[in-house]
């Protein structure tokens, strides 16, 4: 290999690493941790540290994702919310680069607080996968060209519930893992990322479920339900290990340093062992039970947000509570972290910035956007991307 070729390869690898570090490709980030590098602002408002604001059609609880200099978000509109939108904005300027619209093929009935555009889209860096409560899945390239469309609502018309679905898919290698769980037809499936064809389909507990798959590694995805959690091989759907002592059907699990923190009896910490062996239960703490938001692990601390709007900080090794901090709730969005700080948005559109310490946490920013926010924000580079029903915001220092 010539020096020139080697230098070119090293440059491409470095560039790819830089791009990946500034991306947020799916719900709770590219690696499903909710943690990003960068240094977002502590303060913002209508006229301060808002790089741009873009109008959105219809409604949406889905979080934005950031990939290849693009910010992608979904929305649903129409009297019956049967118009499904995918919108792409320039990450730097906020200019709308393209918008695609589809018609739902499945049920669009939802609770008034929710909507059809509840699941967060995902990306593998080259394609965008938009999923909706109607169980419609659309794959587009980065320029908005349709690659494939799959109406799971047509294939499985009984897979729905009266409140609406909201599980967000994850990409693992060449497979898009989707949970479609209800009181009737209930399953998880792995769709081929290139074609949309089902690689596998497995039955799941028959109970309404709003949790999202968790990417443990490129070779393992965690599925959560009322029965517990199960790790599967995303290529085949084959079970790797399971825990069957129940789990929440709203907040999803978190994982860090080989330990999975399951919203079960509060929070239960599990350390998976060899394949097909039951995981080791490290501890269980009822005081850490989250409400709607999923737990977060950051810089050696475990955070849970309860129904009273209180952030509870605990030792992830023991589950021992170290401090509590009351915020103003309620919260639907899950907390995210960057720059050693926590970012939490309540339903009234107030964004709190919390600086955690060893013995306590303190609010160092309280910022109002004046619109309802239910979706989890994204962080890429030094910017936060937040969506309400009406707008998509980029919050960044000038």
């Amino acid at each position: 290999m010539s020096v020139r070729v080697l230098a070119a390869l090293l440059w491409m690898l470095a560039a790819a690493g830089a791009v990946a570090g500034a991306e947020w490709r799916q719900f709770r980030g590219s690696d499903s941790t909710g943690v990003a590098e960068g240094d977002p602002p502590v303060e913002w408002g209508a006229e301060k540290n808002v790089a741009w604001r873009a109008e959105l059609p219809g409604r949406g609880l889905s979080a934005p994702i950031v990939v290849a200099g693009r910010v992608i978000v979904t929305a649903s509109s129409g009297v019956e919310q049967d118009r499904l939108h995918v919108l792409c904005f320039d990450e730097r300027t906020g200019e709308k680069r393209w918008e695609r619209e589809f018609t739902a093929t499945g049920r669009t009935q939802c609770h008034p607080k929710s909507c059809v555009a509840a699941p967060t889209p995902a990306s593998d860096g080259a394609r965008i996968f938009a999923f909706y409560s109607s169980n419609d899945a659309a794959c587009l390239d980065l320029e908005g060209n349709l690659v494939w469309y799959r109406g799971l609502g047509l294939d499985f018309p009984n897979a729905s519930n009266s409140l609406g679905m909201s599980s967000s898919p994850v990409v693992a290698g060449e497979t898009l893992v989707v949970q479609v769980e209800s009181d009737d037809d209930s399953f998880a499936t792995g769709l081929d990322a290139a074609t949309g064809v089902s690689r596998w389909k497995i039955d799941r507990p028959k109970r309404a479920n709003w949790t999202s798959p968790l990417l443990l590694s490129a070779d393992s995805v965690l599925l959560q339900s009322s029965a517990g959690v199960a790790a599967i091989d995303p290529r085949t759907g084959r079970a790797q290990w399971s825990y069957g002592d129940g789990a929440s059907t709203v907040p999803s699990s978190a994982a860090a340093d080989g330990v999975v923190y399951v919203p079960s009896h509060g929070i239960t910490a599990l350390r998976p062992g060899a394949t097909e062996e039951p995981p080791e239960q490290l501890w269980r703490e009822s005081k850490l039970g989250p409400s709607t938001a999923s737990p977060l692990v950051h810089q050696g601390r475990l955070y849970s947000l309860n129904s009273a709007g209180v952030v509870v900080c605990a030792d992830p090794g023991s589950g021992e509570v170290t401090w509590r901090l009351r915020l103003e709730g309620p919260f639907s969005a899950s907390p995210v972290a960057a720059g050693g700080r926590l970012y939490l948005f309540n339903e009234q559109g107030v964004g709190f910035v919390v600086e955690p310490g060893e013995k306590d946490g303190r609010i160092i920013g309280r910022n109002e956007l004046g619109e309802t926010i239910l979706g989890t924000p994204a962080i890429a580079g030094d910017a936060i991307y937040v969506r309400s029903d009406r707008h998509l915001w980029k919050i960044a220092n000038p």
Side-chain angles (χ1 to χ4, degrees), residues 11-35:
W11 180 88
M12 287 189 290
L13 288 172
V19 170
E23 293 188 334
W24 186 277
R25 293 184 175 181
Q26 54 196 12
F27 177 57
R28 295 192 290 170
S30 301
D31 56 2
S32 295
T33 62
V35 178

PDB file of all heavy atoms in Angstrom, residues 11-35:
ATOM      1  N   TRP A  11      -7.369   9.552   6.482  1.00  0.00           N
ATOM      2  CA  TRP A  11      -8.185  10.767   6.466  1.00  0.00           C
ATOM      3  C   TRP A  11      -9.662  10.419   6.449  1.00  0.00           C
ATOM      4  O   TRP A  11     -10.452  11.018   7.173  1.00  0.00           O
ATOM      5  CB  TRP A  11      -7.842  11.609   5.232  1.00  0.00           C
ATOM      6  CG  TRP A  11      -8.646  12.877   5.169  1.00  0.00           C
ATOM      7  CD1 TRP A  11      -8.357  14.077   5.731  1.00  0.00           C
ATOM      8  CD2 TRP A  11      -9.904  13.036   4.507  1.00  0.00           C
ATOM      9  NE1 TRP A  11      -9.348  14.990   5.478  1.00  0.00           N
ATOM     10  CE2 TRP A  11     -10.316  14.385   4.729  1.00  0.00           C
ATOM     11  CE3 TRP A  11     -10.724  12.211   3.753  1.00  0.00           C
ATOM     12  CZ2 TRP A  11     -11.495  14.891   4.218  1.00  0.00           C
ATOM     13  CZ3 TRP A  11     -11.908  12.721   3.254  1.00  0.00           C
ATOM     14  CH2 TRP A  11     -12.291  14.044   3.479  1.00  0.00           C
ATOM     15  N   MET A  12     -10.050   9.425   5.631  1.00  0.00           N
ATOM     16  CA  MET A  12     -11.460   9.044   5.564  1.00  0.00           C
ATOM     17  C   MET A  12     -11.941   8.486   6.895  1.00  0.00           C
ATOM     18  O   MET A  12     -13.054   8.764   7.333  1.00  0.00           O
ATOM     19  CB  MET A  12     -11.677   8.015   4.441  1.00  0.00           C
ATOM     20  CG  MET A  12     -11.603   8.608   3.049  1.00  0.00           C
ATOM     21  SD  MET A  12     -12.104   7.447   1.753  1.00  0.00           S
ATOM     22  CE  MET A  12     -10.750   6.284   1.799  1.00  0.00           C
ATOM     23  N   LEU A  13     -11.086   7.688   7.561  1.00  0.00           N
ATOM     24  CA  LEU A  13     -11.477   7.153   8.854  1.00  0.00           C
ATOM     25  C   LEU A  13     -11.649   8.264   9.880  1.00  0.00           C
ATOM     26  O   LEU A  13     -12.592   8.267  10.674  1.00  0.00           O
ATOM     27  CB  LEU A  13     -10.429   6.147   9.349  1.00  0.00           C
ATOM     28  CG  LEU A  13     -10.395   4.800   8.622  1.00  0.00           C
ATOM     29  CD1 LEU A  13      -9.191   3.990   9.077  1.00  0.00           C
ATOM     30  CD2 LEU A  13     -11.672   4.025   8.879  1.00  0.00           C
ATOM     31  N   ALA A  14     -10.736   9.226   9.856  1.00  0.00           N
ATOM     32  CA  ALA A  14     -10.843  10.346  10.786  1.00  0.00           C
ATOM     33  C   ALA A  14     -12.092  11.163  10.508  1.00  0.00           C
ATOM     34  O   ALA A  14     -12.804  11.579  11.419  1.00  0.00           O
ATOM     35  CB  ALA A  14      -9.599  11.233  10.681  1.00  0.00           C
ATOM     36  N   ALA A  15     -12.378  11.393   9.219  1.00  0.00           N
ATOM     37  CA  ALA A  15     -13.572  12.154   8.858  1.00  0.00           C
ATOM     38  C   ALA A  15     -14.830  11.423   9.283  1.00  0.00           C
ATOM     39  O   ALA A  15     -15.774  12.020   9.807  1.00  0.00           O
ATOM     40  CB  ALA A  15     -13.599  12.417   7.361  1.00  0.00           C
ATOM     41  N   ALA A  16     -14.854  10.102   9.063  1.00  0.00           N
ATOM     42  CA  ALA A  16     -16.024   9.309   9.461  1.00  0.00           C
ATOM     43  C   ALA A  16     -16.225   9.373  10.961  1.00  0.00           C
ATOM     44  O   ALA A  16     -17.343   9.495  11.464  1.00  0.00           O
ATOM     45  CB  ALA A  16     -15.868   7.859   9.011  1.00  0.00           C
ATOM     46  N   GLY A  17     -15.114   9.333  11.724  1.00  0.00           N
ATOM     47  CA  GLY A  17     -15.227   9.420  13.175  1.00  0.00           C
ATOM     48  C   GLY A  17     -15.761  10.758  13.616  1.00  0.00           C
ATOM     49  O   GLY A  17     -16.582  10.862  14.524  1.00  0.00           O
ATOM     50  N   ALA A  18     -15.306  11.831  12.937  1.00  0.00           N
ATOM     51  CA  ALA A  18     -15.786  13.169  13.290  1.00  0.00           C
ATOM     52  C   ALA A  18     -17.263  13.308  13.001  1.00  0.00           C
ATOM     53  O   ALA A  18     -18.027  13.869  13.795  1.00  0.00           O
ATOM     54  CB  ALA A  18     -14.994  14.220  12.521  1.00  0.00           C
ATOM     55  N   VAL A  19     -17.707  12.778  11.855  1.00  0.00           N
ATOM     56  CA  VAL A  19     -19.129  12.863  11.506  1.00  0.00           C
ATOM     57  C   VAL A  19     -19.971  12.073  12.486  1.00  0.00           C
ATOM     58  O   VAL A  19     -21.000  12.527  12.976  1.00  0.00           O
ATOM     59  CB  VAL A  19     -19.360  12.367  10.065  1.00  0.00           C
ATOM     60  CG1 VAL A  19     -20.846  12.222   9.792  1.00  0.00           C
ATOM     61  CG2 VAL A  19     -18.736  13.338   9.065  1.00  0.00           C
ATOM     62  N   ALA A  20     -19.504  10.837  12.808  1.00  0.00           N
ATOM     63  CA  ALA A  20     -20.281   9.993  13.716  1.00  0.00           C
ATOM     64  C   ALA A  20     -20.427  10.655  15.077  1.00  0.00           C
ATOM     65  O   ALA A  20     -21.444  10.545  15.736  1.00  0.00           O
ATOM     66  CB  ALA A  20     -19.620   8.624  13.850  1.00  0.00           C
ATOM     67  N   GLY A  21     -19.368  11.376  15.519  1.00  0.00           N
ATOM     68  CA  GLY A  21     -19.426  12.027  16.814  1.00  0.00           C
ATOM     69  C   GLY A  21     -20.430  13.156  16.858  1.00  0.00           C
ATOM     70  O   GLY A  21     -20.873  13.568  17.920  1.00  0.00           O
ATOM     71  N   ALA A  22     -20.795  13.698  15.694  1.00  0.00           N
ATOM     72  CA  ALA A  22     -21.728  14.817  15.635  1.00  0.00           C
ATOM     73  C   ALA A  22     -23.089  14.366  15.141  1.00  0.00           C
ATOM     74  O   ALA A  22     -23.850  15.174  14.615  1.00  0.00           O
ATOM     75  CB  ALA A  22     -21.169  15.914  14.730  1.00  0.00           C
ATOM     76  N   GLU A  23     -23.388  13.092  15.285  1.00  0.00           N
ATOM     77  CA  GLU A  23     -24.666  12.563  14.820  1.00  0.00           C
ATOM     78  C   GLU A  23     -25.462  11.988  15.994  1.00  0.00           C
ATOM     79  O   GLU A  23     -24.924  11.678  17.059  1.00  0.00           O
ATOM     80  CB  GLU A  23     -24.448  11.492  13.747  1.00  0.00           C
ATOM     81  CG  GLU A  23     -23.857  12.058  12.461  1.00  0.00           C
ATOM     82  CD  GLU A  23     -23.812  11.043  11.343  1.00  0.00           C
ATOM     83  OE1 GLU A  23     -23.757   9.837  11.629  1.00  0.00           O
ATOM     84  OE2 GLU A  23     -23.839  11.455  10.172  1.00  0.00           O
ATOM     85  N   TRP A  24     -26.742  11.875  15.744  1.00  0.00           N
ATOM     86  CA  TRP A  24     -27.688  11.315  16.732  1.00  0.00           C
ATOM     87  C   TRP A  24     -28.705  10.565  15.885  1.00  0.00           C
ATOM     88  O   TRP A  24     -29.675  11.118  15.436  1.00  0.00           O
ATOM     89  CB  TRP A  24     -28.318  12.458  17.512  1.00  0.00           C
ATOM     90  CG  TRP A  24     -29.204  12.090  18.664  1.00  0.00           C
ATOM     91  CD1 TRP A  24     -30.518  11.741  18.607  1.00  0.00           C
ATOM     92  CD2 TRP A  24     -28.864  12.114  20.060  1.00  0.00           C
ATOM     93  NE1 TRP A  24     -31.020  11.532  19.862  1.00  0.00           N
ATOM     94  CE2 TRP A  24     -30.027  11.760  20.781  1.00  0.00           C
ATOM     95  CE3 TRP A  24     -27.696  12.401  20.767  1.00  0.00           C
ATOM     96  CZ2 TRP A  24     -30.040  11.689  22.171  1.00  0.00           C
ATOM     97  CZ3 TRP A  24     -27.726  12.320  22.149  1.00  0.00           C
ATOM     98  CH2 TRP A  24     -28.876  11.964  22.842  1.00  0.00           C
ATOM     99  N   ARG A  25     -28.466   9.273  15.680  1.00  0.00           N
ATOM    100  CA  ARG A  25     -29.135   8.555  14.598  1.00  0.00           C
ATOM    101  C   ARG A  25     -30.436   7.876  14.969  1.00  0.00           C
ATOM    102  O   ARG A  25     -31.136   7.362  14.081  1.00  0.00           O
ATOM    103  CB  ARG A  25     -28.184   7.501  14.007  1.00  0.00           C
ATOM    104  CG  ARG A  25     -26.990   8.105  13.279  1.00  0.00           C
ATOM    105  CD  ARG A  25     -26.170   7.007  12.639  1.00  0.00           C
ATOM    106  NE  ARG A  25     -25.071   7.542  11.838  1.00  0.00           N
ATOM    107  CZ  ARG A  25     -24.217   6.782  11.160  1.00  0.00           C
ATOM    108  NH1 ARG A  25     -24.358   5.458  11.193  1.00  0.00           N
ATOM    109  NH2 ARG A  25     -23.256   7.337  10.455  1.00  0.00           N
ATOM    110  N   GLN A  26     -30.781   7.819  16.244  1.00  0.00           N
ATOM    111  CA  GLN A  26     -32.032   7.166  16.611  1.00  0.00           C
ATOM    112  C   GLN A  26     -32.435   7.608  18.013  1.00  0.00           C
ATOM    113  O   GLN A  26     -31.796   8.477  18.609  1.00  0.00           O
ATOM    114  CB  GLN A  26     -31.910   5.649  16.535  1.00  0.00           C
ATOM    115  CG  GLN A  26     -30.756   5.061  17.325  1.00  0.00           C
ATOM    116  CD  GLN A  26     -30.437   3.638  16.911  1.00  0.00           C
ATOM    117  OE1 GLN A  26     -30.909   3.127  15.906  1.00  0.00           O
ATOM    118  NE2 GLN A  26     -29.598   2.981  17.693  1.00  0.00           N
ATOM    119  N   PHE A  27     -33.525   7.066  18.519  1.00  0.00           N
ATOM    120  CA  PHE A  27     -34.033   7.431  19.845  1.00  0.00           C
ATOM    121  C   PHE A  27     -32.938   7.257  20.887  1.00  0.00           C
ATOM    122  O   PHE A  27     -32.300   6.218  20.983  1.00  0.00           O
ATOM    123  CB  PHE A  27     -35.244   6.553  20.175  1.00  0.00           C
ATOM    124  CG  PHE A  27     -35.817   6.777  21.551  1.00  0.00           C
ATOM    125  CD1 PHE A  27     -36.241   8.036  21.945  1.00  0.00           C
ATOM    126  CD2 PHE A  27     -35.954   5.722  22.438  1.00  0.00           C
ATOM    127  CE1 PHE A  27     -36.781   8.250  23.213  1.00  0.00           C
ATOM    128  CE2 PHE A  27     -36.499   5.916  23.705  1.00  0.00           C
ATOM    129  CZ  PHE A  27     -36.908   7.187  24.091  1.00  0.00           C
ATOM    130  N   ARG A  28     -32.686   8.315  21.657  1.00  0.00           N
ATOM    131  CA  ARG A  28     -31.656   8.347  22.690  1.00  0.00           C
ATOM    132  C   ARG A  28     -30.247   8.181  22.117  1.00  0.00           C
ATOM    133  O   ARG A  28     -29.331   7.678  22.774  1.00  0.00           O
ATOM    134  CB  ARG A  28     -31.913   7.309  23.784  1.00  0.00           C
ATOM    135  CG  ARG A  28     -33.184   7.595  24.588  1.00  0.00           C
ATOM    136  CD  ARG A  28     -33.266   6.756  25.834  1.00  0.00           C
ATOM    137  NE  ARG A  28     -33.496   5.355  25.538  1.00  0.00           N
ATOM    138  CZ  ARG A  28     -33.427   4.385  26.433  1.00  0.00           C
ATOM    139  NH1 ARG A  28     -33.131   4.659  27.689  1.00  0.00           N
ATOM    140  NH2 ARG A  28     -33.649   3.138  26.093  1.00  0.00           N
ATOM    141  N   GLY A  29     -30.045   8.604  20.872  1.00  0.00           N
ATOM    142  CA  GLY A  29     -28.703   8.668  20.317  1.00  0.00           C
ATOM    143  C   GLY A  29     -28.298   7.451  19.520  1.00  0.00           C
ATOM    144  O   GLY A  29     -28.943   6.400  19.543  1.00  0.00           O
ATOM    145  N   SER A  30     -27.173   7.584  18.811  1.00  0.00           N
ATOM    146  CA  SER A  30     -26.715   6.522  17.919  1.00  0.00           C
ATOM    147  C   SER A  30     -26.463   5.218  18.658  1.00  0.00           C
ATOM    148  O   SER A  30     -26.650   4.130  18.106  1.00  0.00           O
ATOM    149  CB  SER A  30     -25.434   6.967  17.194  1.00  0.00           C
ATOM    150  OG  SER A  30     -25.671   8.147  16.447  1.00  0.00           O
ATOM    151  N   ASP A  31     -26.026   5.296  19.930  1.00  0.00           N
ATOM    152  CA  ASP A  31     -25.740   4.090  20.708  1.00  0.00           C
ATOM    153  C   ASP A  31     -26.792   3.818  21.777  1.00  0.00           C
ATOM    154  O   ASP A  31     -26.576   3.003  22.669  1.00  0.00           O
ATOM    155  CB  ASP A  31     -24.362   4.194  21.354  1.00  0.00           C
ATOM    156  CG  ASP A  31     -24.209   5.449  22.224  1.00  0.00           C
ATOM    157  OD1 ASP A  31     -25.204   6.198  22.345  1.00  0.00           O
ATOM    158  OD2 ASP A  31     -23.116   5.668  22.766  1.00  0.00           O
ATOM    159  N   SER A  32     -27.924   4.526  21.714  1.00  0.00           N
ATOM    160  CA  SER A  32     -29.059   4.320  22.629  1.00  0.00           C
ATOM    161  C   SER A  32     -28.763   4.689  24.078  1.00  0.00           C
ATOM    162  O   SER A  32     -29.499   4.288  24.983  1.00  0.00           O
ATOM    163  CB  SER A  32     -29.539   2.858  22.583  1.00  0.00           C
ATOM    164  OG  SER A  32     -30.064   2.539  21.324  1.00  0.00           O
ATOM    165  N   THR A  33     -27.711   5.477  24.329  1.00  0.00           N
ATOM    166  CA  THR A  33     -27.369   5.813  25.710  1.00  0.00           C
ATOM    167  C   THR A  33     -27.982   7.123  26.177  1.00  0.00           C
ATOM    168  O   THR A  33     -28.072   7.380  27.385  1.00  0.00           O
ATOM    169  CB  THR A  33     -25.844   5.925  25.883  1.00  0.00           C
ATOM    170  OG1 THR A  33     -25.355   6.988  25.049  1.00  0.00           O
ATOM    171  CG2 THR A  33     -25.161   4.615  25.509  1.00  0.00           C
ATOM    172  N   GLY A  34     -28.364   8.005  25.244  1.00  0.00           N
ATOM    173  CA  GLY A  34     -28.846   9.326  25.624  1.00  0.00           C
ATOM    174  C   GLY A  34     -27.730  10.287  25.978  1.00  0.00           C
ATOM    175  O   GLY A  34     -27.988  11.384  26.477  1.00  0.00           O
ATOM    176  N   VAL A  35     -26.480   9.901  25.714  1.00  0.00           N
ATOM    177  CA  VAL A  35     -25.313  10.706  26.059  1.00  0.00           C
ATOM    178  C   VAL A  35     -24.574  11.096  24.787  1.00  0.00           C
ATOM    179  O   VAL A  35     -24.396  10.279  23.884  1.00  0.00           O
ATOM    180  CB  VAL A  35     -24.367   9.937  27.005  1.00  0.00           C
ATOM    181  CG1 VAL A  35     -23.119  10.760  27.317  1.00  0.00           C
ATOM    182  CG2 VAL A  35     -25.093   9.560  28.284  1.00  0.00           C
TER     183      VAL A  35
END
